[in-house]
Amino acid sequence: MKNFDPATQVQYLAQFGEFGDVNPSITDSSTFTFLGAKTMVDTFEGVAEGCFLYSRHWNPSNKYLADALSTMEGTESAWVTASGMAAITCTMLQLCNAGDHIVSSMTTYGGTFAFLKNYLPKFNIEVTFVDPTNLEQIRKAIKPNTKLIYTESISNPLLQISDIPEMAKIANEHGIKLVVDNTFSPMILAPHKLGAHIVVYSMTKFINGKNDLVAGAICADSKFINDLVNVNSGTAMLLGPALDPLRSSGILKNLHTLHIRMKQHGHNAMYLANRFTELGIQVSYPGLKSHPGHELLNSMMNSQFSYGGIIAINMQTKERADSLMELMQAKGVGYLAVSLGYFKTLFSNSGSSTSSEVPAETQSEMGLSPGLVRFSVGLDNDIEHTYMLIKEALEELAYI
Ligand code: PLP
């Protein structure tokens, strides 16, 4: 469904504080009183409506943010977590038991890859890694004990595009879940509206956009979210990665400017991608017609939010990538730093940083060049000036 507008959904939220405050009140309490002992028991058993028990379970500030996220995604419910990794790991551990199997995209964030490859074997959960652009490979990888297909809507750092409707069809045929990490493309894609069952986020990135905290979210149907926080068996409740409600309140305010930020990130990234192409640099950006997933993304996206803020260029070797990044930082282009979705431009060499958990031979199998420089393009008002600084750096290093 292409015409679902997440920004307008968020705009019409009516969330107020205790005294008519225009921002919801912050509840910085870990526990809550009950007038009657029976209501406490009912809340433990999940049958009392509207009561809060303990903030590892639910907190009113976290609930405001979770409600806003489920509105943005068009899911019945959501739960917020203390990190993106917590959202991903709790989702997987909730869906799988020992002996189960996951089909995952080979090109995921390095931490996710490490969890799938190195951590899940502890629980005898097996993972088959597939090329996310090869639907036949995905179909063939499914076994009787497969519980989920996992992918990133726009992958980190290769910017491959997942065909969410087709992947959802495969998942539905087998009665399993499609879990999509939409960290790179909030607003641009609404994976649940395209068929995904569960959408996870690192809110550390674009959603919060300030690089001042780490947080995550799980958007899904009410049953899944209720199961996650079940006091006896819920992975989120029992592993306990609850988000600090003070942080929730900040993220909720930032969510209301996300649509403007995504447009500006996308505008600037598109500008740089075009100019890099003119210079003859190998550039990957899904907004370019030359990108293999361009048409697919067009068919799924909310076009008003543009093609996202992440671009990758290939400098061939790590040494060349490092020299360029150091010089760009010295010239004030932005910062040599991991993470993304910040108002300043950030750049990093993915192979030796955010994807360093992926072994060298797998990196090469995925097509990840050791010289890849990933840019998270900032909100620069004068992107032409930023481009001139990057061009100067490329010229000084004799790369162009
Ligand atoms: N998903 C993606 C696509 C990411 O890029 C990251 C972090 O870089 C994560 C998940 C993990 O999020 P967090 O660092 O908030 O735990």
Side-chain angles (χ1 to χ4, degrees):
M1 179 178 167
K2 237 179 115 179
N3 297 323
F4 176 78
D5 176 0
T8 303
Q9 298 290 317
V10 171
Q11 184 194 327
Y12 286 110
L13 277 170
Q15 296 180 317
F16 299 101
E18 231 178 320
F19 303 99
D21 333 12
V22 294
N23 289 306
S25 312
I26 301 173
T27 306
D28 62 340
S29 290
S30 50
T31 195
F32 301 84
T33 56
F34 289 86
L35 288 177
K38 180 171 181 316
T39 322
M40 181 187 273
V41 175
D42 288 348
T43 307
F44 255 96
E45 288 173 356
V47 292
E49 284 291 314
C51 291
F52 291 92
L53 177 70
Y54 186 63
S55 284
R56 172 158 45 80
H57 180 249
W58 269 115
N59 169 288
S61 301
N62 289 0
K63 179 89 170 69
Y64 283 120
L65 177 59
D67 287 350
L69 291 163
S70 63
T71 302
M72 177 175 94
E73 288 303 313
T75 55
E76 278 176 3
S77 189
W79 201 74
V80 292
T81 56
S83 70
M85 280 310 294
I88 294 163
T89 57
C90 284
T91 298
M92 290 184 184
L93 292 173
Q94 185 67 27
L95 292 172
C96 293
N97 292 320
D100 283 339
H101 173 249
I102 294 174
V103 174
S104 171
S105 161
M106 185 190 286
T107 52
T108 58
Y109 162 62
T112 308
F113 182 84
F115 179 73
L116 291 161
K117 179 116 176 57
N118 308 331
Y119 202 89
L120 285 181
K122 279 198 201 189
F123 302 104
N124 192 25
I125 296 170
E126 194 204 345
V127 184
T128 303
F129 291 99
V130 291
D131 172 352
T133 62
N134 186 336
L135 294 168
E136 210 33 51
Q137 222 182 77
I138 297 172
R139 207 183 289 279
K140 283 198 180 128
I142 293 175
K143 302 181 186 191
N145 58 342
T146 305
K147 288 288 156 37
L148 67 117
I149 301 172
Y150 183 83
T151 196
E152 293 177 356
S153 43
I154 301 183
S155 77
N156 183 4
L158 292 174
L159 310 178
Q160 289 163 307
I161 309 298
S162 288
D163 189 335
I164 298 170
E166 284 302 315
M167 286 185 182
K169 224 183 266 175
I170 298 173
N172 289 334
E173 276 163 26
H174 292 86
I176 62 176
K177 303 287 184 204
L178 173 64
V179 181
V180 175
D181 180 338
N182 199 39
T183 298
F184 275 32
S185 42
M187 299 274 163
I188 300 170
L189 289 170
H192 176 65
K193 290 289 177 185
L194 294 164
H197 303 95
I198 301 170
V199 185
V200 291
Y201 277 107
S202 167
M203 295 198 289
T204 316
K205 313 291 164 28
F206 289 105
I207 289 185
N208 185 57
K210 304 292 182 291
N211 258 342
D212 55 357
L213 56 82
V214 174
I218 305 167
C219 304
D221 60 36
S222 302
K223 179 175 182 327
F224 184 75
I225 299 297
N226 289 340
D227 287 351
L228 260 183
V229 295
N230 182 294
V231 292
N232 292 306
S233 56
T235 309
M237 182 62 183
L238 300 178
L239 297 188
L243 180 59
D244 177 347
L246 297 175
R247 291 307 200 177
S248 271
S249 139
I251 299 169
L252 180 57
K253 282 171 274 195
N254 290 332
L255 185 71
H256 284 273
T257 59
L258 177 62
H259 60 299
I260 305 171
R261 291 185 280 114
M262 290 314 290
K263 288 176 188 176
Q264 186 69 12
H265 284 300
H267 167 82
N268 287 351
M270 189 78 214
Y271 183 87
L272 289 184
N274 279 323
R275 301 304 296 262
F276 287 156
T277 307
E278 284 162 23
L279 289 180
I281 288 176
Q282 199 185 325
V283 49
S284 174
Y285 183 62
L288 294 176
K289 286 200 177 73
S290 59
H291 188 284
H294 178 70
E295 286 307 325
L296 173 60
L297 184 53
N298 276 342
S299 73
M300 298 189 293
M301 72 188 287
N302 302 308
S303 56
Q304 55 172 318
F305 301 110
S306 197
Y307 293 94
I310 310 296
I311 62 181
I313 61 171
N314 187 0
M315 291 287 104
Q316 281 79 38
T317 67
K318 176 175 169 1
E319 292 66 33
R320 280 167 52 97
D322 287 349
S323 305
L324 176 64
M325 293 189 299
E326 285 168 8
L327 193 51
M328 287 194 300
Q329 176 159 258
K331 285 181 180 291
V333 172
Y335 301 141
L336 200 179
V338 295
S339 206
L340 50 112
Y342 188 39
F343 44 79
K344 291 249 187 193
T345 295
L346 303 178
F347 29 84
S348 54
N349 172 233
S350 300
S352 62
S353 59
T354 47
S355 294
S356 59
E357 296 90 340
V358 181
E361 62 280 11
T362 313
Q363 288 192 18
S364 123
E365 205 184 314
M366 288 160 49
L368 173 51
S369 160
L372 183 135
V373 176
R374 185 190 76 184
F375 286 77
S376 168
V377 183
L379 299 175
D380 312 23
N381 191 45
D382 185 354
I383 194 65
E384 165 71 17
H385 181 250
T386 306
Y387 166 71
M388 292 313 289
L389 295 177
I390 301 172
K391 187 165 169 255
E392 258 175 45
L394 288 162
E395 279 164 353
E396 273 174 49
L397 293 164
Y399 291 177
I400 54 170

